[in-house]
Amino acid sequence: MYLESLADSDAISAIRLTLIAAAISVPLNLVFGVAAAWAIAKFEFKGKNFLITLIDLPFSVSPVVAGLIYVLVFGLQGWLGPTLQGWDLKIIFAIPGIVLATVFVTFPFVARELIPLMQSQGTEEEQAALVLGASGWQTFWYVTLPNVKWGLLYGVILCNARAMGEFGAVSVVSGHIRGMTNTIPLHVEILYNEYQFAASFAVASLLALLALVTLGLKQIVEWRQARERTSALGSVEMSKDVPVVALADKSYLHESVYPVYAPTAALI
């Protein structure tokens, strides 16, 4: 009964649509989150507070309200509905609407994970890299990104979990069309309302498995972060014994001795 419930055509369609929505929204939020966090933490510019407010917007707006806004904008009777209909484009009650709703509710996770981390690291390493002749892209790729890799992975894990488990906003824009616009949470709701309890719990077990995997990955990332932090502190203590004259030798600019400035040393 369990495998039959998972092998059902509607269940397979729901799983496929959930993976498609996550596969599109997570990379988009990854790019936006890294760019927004880098800009907010490393630079001063007009509109910075507005950008921070924009990032926090999905945390302060109900997902159901967000889905309703999409319907009012892109629906058949919405602001852009007649225009989209003239172009034969369908967003609401179709895959594009589900992807847009998923992107909206998940885009704060990566940015909010990276902003405090980048702010705590300061800009000294980036300035040193620029002084050594590195370009902006080299500075980001070899200095900034390696220092936030575990925080970035942590944000991606949370973003993916929310994308696959989102219910409210997706429920409003999907239309609950079986085999077409149902994600896993929506399919579970339909099965439960139809009193197919065994099938609903079988499909829901996939989300439970996702939650367990997410928790496991979260613990691994936190353990690696703590381990690298402890290793870095130990290396800094060891570096105190290195003579000042030896700093002119580039061989000392190695992660085992100067973990904080190791990425900058690679640019020399």
Side-chain angles (χ1 to χ4, degrees):
M1 184 66 179
Y2 179 82
L3 295 179
E4 291 178 356
S5 300
L6 297 181
D8 181 70
S9 59
D10 292 338
I12 293 176
S13 177
I15 295 171
R16 184 187 302 111
L17 180 56
T18 303
L19 294 177
I20 290 174
I24 296 175
S25 61
V26 172
L28 290 177
N29 288 323
L30 171 63
V31 174
F32 170 80
V34 172
W38 193 33
I40 292 172
K42 305 297 183 179
F43 304 96
E44 294 293 334
F45 56 92
K46 293 182 179 180
K48 182 175 180 179
N49 292 332
F50 175 75
L51 179 58
I52 295 175
T53 303
L54 186 65
I55 292 174
D56 291 335
L57 185 62
F59 289 146
S60 57
V61 176
S62 168
V64 175
V65 174
L68 179 60
I69 292 174
Y70 277 118
V71 173
L72 294 176
V73 174
F74 300 110
L76 186 60
Q77 304 299 326
W79 296 339
L80 301 180
T83 303
L84 294 174
Q85 186 179 22
W87 292 345
D88 196 23
L89 294 177
K90 190 174 183 181
I91 294 181
I92 301 302
F93 307 148
I95 294 178
I98 295 174
V99 172
L100 287 175
T102 305
V103 168
F104 176 80
V105 299
T106 57
F107 81 80
F109 288 95
V110 176
R112 265 303 168 192
E113 187 64 32
L114 293 181
I115 289 174
L117 179 59
M118 288 186 176
Q119 287 177 334
S120 66
Q121 292 174 351
T123 60
E124 290 81 5
E125 295 184 38
E126 284 80 1
Q127 293 174 357
L130 294 173
V131 169
L132 292 172
S135 64
W137 174 252
Q138 288 176 319
T139 301
F140 172 77
W141 188 257
Y142 293 104
V143 179
T144 305
L145 194 58
N147 287 336
V148 299
K149 58 184 179 181
W150 294 115
L152 179 60
L153 180 59
Y154 188 85
V156 169
I157 292 172
L158 295 180
C159 180
N160 181 72
R162 178 61 188 273
M164 289 191 174
E166 173 56 28
F167 179 84
V170 173
S171 177
V172 175
V173 302
S174 71
H176 295 267
I177 304 175
R178 260 188 166 173
M180 296 181 62
T181 63
N182 272 346
T183 58
I184 294 178
L186 301 182
H187 186 61
V188 171
E189 180 198 26
I190 290 178
L191 292 176
Y192 188 83
N193 290 337
E194 293 178 348
Y195 302 102
Q196 301 183 42
F197 299 123
S200 65
F201 281 109
V203 179
S205 67
L206 296 179
L207 293 177
L209 179 62
L210 172 65
L212 294 176
V213 172
T214 301
L215 289 175
L217 292 176
K218 175 176 173 290
Q219 293 297 323
I220 293 174
V221 170
E222 291 178 347
W223 174 74
R224 288 298 300 269
Q225 282 182 312
R227 182 179 179 183
E228 287 194 359
R229 190 178 300 112
T230 303
S231 176
L233 292 175
S235 299
V236 170
E237 292 296 328
M238 291 175 56
S239 67
K240 292 180 180 180
D241 298 330
V242 178
V244 177
V245 178
L247 293 178
D249 186 358
K250 295 180 182 179
S251 63
Y252 285 93
L253 296 176
H254 189 271
E255 188 174 2
S256 62
V257 180
Y258 296 97
V260 177
Y261 291 95
T264 305
L267 299 172
I268 302 177

